Amino acid sequence: MSNEKIKKFERKFLPKIIIILFYFFTILFFLYLSNFYNFFFKPSRVINVFTFTDMIPKSVVKNFEKKTGISVRLKYFDSNEELIAKLKIDKGAGYDLITSSDYAIEILRKENLLKKIDKSRIDSFANLDSRFLNLYFDPENNYSIPIAWSVEGIVFKRKVFENYKNINWDFIFKKPVFTYKICMPDTPREVVYLTSNYLLNKSQNLTNEELEYIKNILIEQKRWVEIYMSGSLQYYLLANIVPMAVSSSAFAKKLLEVSNDFDFILPDQGSFCIIENLAIPIHTNKDD
């Protein structure tokens, strides 16, 4: 290529290449800004926590940091399935503490993805409610410590259902007595559990025929389900998109704190309890 052609090429394309490189490295800089900050200004003592949103109050984090001088970095996940997948991929590398629901603890424990906890070093362990200890997912609580519990029930707009005295699972699983939509959980495990408990009064050792029956009921129910969602239900309820949703008591508590228009009920037909726990990923070196 002649010098003239090279100069012509440079005049035509060099400014564009420079602009592209400038934007590329600018985007790269902002993407990894936190990493640069952590590298140069990393606190001497820090723990990384992987948790559900709102599971650990910010006030608790601030008090912990103030008392111990240890910085806490919170990162959030949306579901136990996301947590399980993350720990299976890299065994929780980069995290020192997690929160997890009961059944997920069982899976993580059996996959050898959790560290044993030295309970003798936890002064408050003796104060825990014994009803939430030594359960199926961690029989001796060697790998988990319960920190919260909730029950699955129905949250509904009081005015819409004021003529109905006994709100129960029939309003969720049977054809609505009048035209309305509902929200259902987005976790298949919870949906199947609730449905089998409602239809068959059991949730374990389901036969293929029983599972097929449950599937058909859920397909029929889908006609009046607005959305399958466990988080952000308040937008659908407060905006009057749906008057009723299956939700945890923890969510219902938050909703009732901001609106007097709703009520929460645990139907007589039964439900289930979810126990949230703290656990330590296998790869952390910050057990203390």
Side-chain angles (χ1 to χ4, degrees), residues 197-259:
N197 186 67
Y198 169 73
L199 294 173
L200 308 168
N201 199 30
K202 71 173 188 176
S203 58
Q204 297 180 343
N205 302 318
L206 298 172
T207 65
N208 290 335
E209 291 76 13
E210 288 170 336
L211 287 170
E212 186 69 19
Y213 179 37
I214 290 170
K215 184 185 78 171
N216 291 334
I217 291 295
L218 290 173
I219 290 174
E220 173 67 14
Q221 182 211 41
K222 190 175 180 180
R223 294 189 297 114
W224 57 86
V225 174
E226 176 69 25
I227 191 170
Y228 296 89
M229 176 182 286
S230 298
S232 303
L233 284 176
Q234 65 270 22
Y235 302 119
Y236 287 84
L237 291 162
L238 294 173
N240 295 319
I241 298 173
V242 299
M244 177 176 282
V246 176
S247 82
S248 69
S249 55
F251 165 79
K253 179 178 181 294
K254 294 176 184 177
L255 179 67
L256 299 181
E257 287 174 351
V258 299
S259 175

Side-chain angles (χ1 to χ4, degrees), residues 42-281:
K42 186 176 180 179
S44 57
R45 302 174 72 198
V46 61
I47 58 172
N48 298 288
V49 183
F50 202 25
T51 178
F52 282 112
T53 306
D54 298 331
M55 180 59 66
I56 302 176
K58 292 182 179 179
S59 59
V60 171
V61 172
K62 288 181 179 178
N63 288 337
F64 176 83
E65 291 178 328
K66 185 178 179 180
K67 289 180 180 180
T68 66
I70 300 171
S71 296
V72 179
R73 295 190 184 128
L74 299 177
K75 187 171 182 181
Y76 303 104
F77 57 84
D78 294 323
S79 68
N80 283 291
E81 285 66 32
E82 180 183 345
L83 169 68
I84 293 169
K86 172 68 178 174
L87 265 67
K88 282 188 175 182
I89 290 171
D90 57 14
K91 298 188 183 299
Y95 299 110
D96 307 304
L97 189 69
I98 62 169
T99 64
S100 177
S101 300
D102 38 32
Y103 75 91
I105 289 289
E106 181 182 33
I107 294 172
L108 297 173
R109 175 177 63 82
K110 290 181 176 179
E111 293 277 349
N112 296 316
L113 295 172
L114 301 178
K115 276 194 172 183
K116 243 184 176 179
I117 297 172
D118 185 356
K119 292 176 288 187
S120 66
R121 301 183 61 187
I122 305 174
D123 296 337
S124 59
F125 191 86
N127 299 326
L128 293 173
D129 191 323
S130 60
R131 291 175 295 179
F132 301 109
L133 298 173
N134 311 121
L135 299 176
Y136 77 96
F137 57 92
D138 189 6
E140 297 180 7
N141 281 101
N142 286 328
Y143 299 89
S144 63
I145 301 173
I147 57 170
W149 64 274
S150 63
V151 291
E152 206 76 359
I154 301 172
V155 63
F156 61 96
K157 195 158 190 176
R158 197 179 298 111
K159 187 175 181 180
V160 175
F161 296 92
E162 60 186 352
N163 295 326
Y164 300 90
K165 294 182 179 180
N166 184 25
I167 302 296
N168 55 43
W169 292 119
D170 292 345
F171 285 76
I172 297 295
F173 291 107
K174 288 186 176 180
K175 186 176 180 180
V177 291
F178 57 93
T179 302
Y180 62 86
K181 292 279 190 175
I182 65 170
C183 289
M184 285 287 288
D186 57 6
T187 306
R189 181 188 178 94
E190 292 183 21
V191 173
V192 172
Y193 190 107
L194 283 171
T195 311
S196 62
N197 186 67
Y198 169 73
L199 294 173
L200 308 168
N201 199 30
K202 71 173 188 176
S203 58
Q204 297 180 343
N205 302 318
L206 298 172
T207 65
N208 290 335
E209 291 76 13
E210 288 170 336
L211 287 170
E212 186 69 19
Y213 179 37
I214 290 170
K215 184 185 78 171
N216 291 334
I217 291 295
L218 290 173
I219 290 174
E220 173 67 14
Q221 182 211 41
K222 190 175 180 180
R223 294 189 297 114
W224 57 86
V225 174
E226 176 69 25
I227 191 170
Y228 296 89
M229 176 182 286
S230 298
S232 303
L233 284 176
Q234 65 270 22
Y235 302 119
Y236 287 84
L237 291 162
L238 294 173
N240 295 319
I241 298 173
V242 299
M244 177 176 282
V246 176
S247 82
S248 69
S249 55
F251 165 79
K253 179 178 181 294
K254 294 176 184 177
L255 179 67
L256 299 181
E257 287 174 351
V258 299
S259 175
N260 294 321
D261 296 333
F262 295 89
D263 208 344
F264 177 79
I265 190 168
L266 180 63
D268 295 336
Q269 298 141 305
S271 183
F272 64 91
C273 174
I274 302 172
I275 301 173
E276 307 295 349
N277 306 266
L278 290 172
I280 304 174

